[in-house]
Amino acid sequence: MEEFSAVLPYIGWVIAGAFTLGALGIAASFQTTRMKIKNGYPLEGMWGQSLKPGSDKHTAERVVLLTQENAQLRAELGSIKDRLANVERIVTDGGYHLGAEIDALRERALEGLKDKGEA
């Protein structure tokens, strides 16, 4: 009985502290939900199920715009792949080395002329 009488003067503070912590937890939960709604995040229930399906008009418009952008980017990527294939064909083609071979022949011809001129 002596232990209870020693804690009895502080019971009010304990109850007030518990009430304050509970109120702050509820306020934090409300604030989190408000920020999710404000920033467009989907709301979830206790077990992760969706409470608000994201099938409003803005979401449908975003899906259409993203689909169009995706198609444009795929077309651009296809054209870039075609260009790259052409560049690879030119580089690996024998005609690309033709200029180097012509320069080598010119150098040989100039060396041959120098040799004949000195003889």
Side-chain angles (χ1 to χ4, degrees), residues 11-76:
I11 283 291
W13 286 106
V14 170
I15 292 172
F19 178 77
T20 303
L21 286 175
L24 287 175
I26 292 170
S29 175
F30 283 138
Q31 177 67 12
T32 302
T33 303
R34 189 181 75 79
M35 294 299 288
K36 283 183 178 181
I37 291 170
K38 179 181 175 185
N39 293 312
Y41 287 97
L43 299 178
E44 296 175 351
M46 183 179 285
W47 301 104
Q49 74 275 19
S50 179
L51 296 178
K52 177 186 168 198
S55 62
D56 59 347
K57 184 178 178 183
H58 294 335
T59 304
E61 289 176 4
R62 274 182 80 184
V63 168
V64 169
L65 290 175
L66 289 173
T67 303
Q68 290 173 351
E69 183 182 9
N70 190 11
Q72 290 172 351
L73 291 174
R74 285 181 181 270
E76 185 176 348

Side-chain angles (χ1 to χ4, degrees), residues 89-101:
R89 183 182 48 82
I90 290 170
V91 169
T92 58
D93 193 16
Y96 180 75
H97 299 290
L98 186 61
E101 291 175 8

Side-chain angles (χ1 to χ4, degrees), residues 103-119:
D103 290 338
L105 290 173
R106 284 184 185 155
E107 288 177 10
R108 284 187 206 161
L110 289 176
E111 288 175 7
L113 290 175
K114 286 182 185 177
D115 288 341
K116 287 182 183 178
E118 291 181 19

